[in-house]
Amino acid sequence: MGVEIIRGRAVVKGANEVQVNGRTIAPGTSSWRPAPGRACADPGSELAITSNEAFHLQTLPSRALVVGGGYVAVEFASIFNGVGVPTTLAYRGNRLLRGFDAEIASASARRCPQGVDVRLNMDPCAW
């Protein structure tokens, strides 16, 4: 996957800057959502939120579609489901948590809360 392990003490220098051993590295990625007028911007896509906005919801949605297969998506699908929101978790790949150890990822996917409608090999843009 092209992962480089950097050993050392990390220092947060700002909102988008982390240094390890004096070397600036990328602190992560940002959430994505379809923009109006762009690919995958179907009717209703203006209702899409990212995990950042999910923390600030004033009321629970009547249902939720969580798109992604990483730990944040699995976690939010579990949270929405846990508070009673009918939840679908859609991912374009064939297994959740693909960047994790295969055995751990498989066990975690099996433990995805009952009630979450998990749909693998699904491209939300093709719906």
Side-chain angles (χ1 to χ4, degrees), residues 12-99:
V12 177
K13 293 291 192 173
N16 297 306
E17 186 178 353
V18 175
Q19 286 186 348
V20 179
N21 302 332
R23 178 176 163 195
T24 300
I25 61 170
T29 63
S30 59
S31 302
W32 174 89
R33 68 174 161 195
R38 310 241 349 234
C40 195
D42 293 325
S45 64
E46 70 278 1
L47 301 173
I49 63 172
T50 68
S51 56
N52 296 329
E53 290 92 14
F55 286 111
H56 302 287
L57 290 173
Q58 297 298 312
T59 59
L60 292 173
S62 59
R63 62 184 179 203
L65 167 64
V66 178
V67 178
Y71 70 91
V72 173
V74 172
E75 182 177 35
F76 273 95
S78 299
I79 291 168
F80 280 124
N81 179 70
V83 296
V85 176
T87 304
T88 299
L89 175 63
Y91 180 54
R92 67 177 179 239
N94 60 3
R95 78 172 174 105
L96 299 175
L97 307 171
R98 70 182 168 105

Side-chain angles (χ1 to χ4, degrees), residues 103-114:
E103 191 174 327
I104 291 171
S106 179
S108 297
R110 284 192 307 271
R111 291 177 166 248
C112 199
Q114 199 165 21

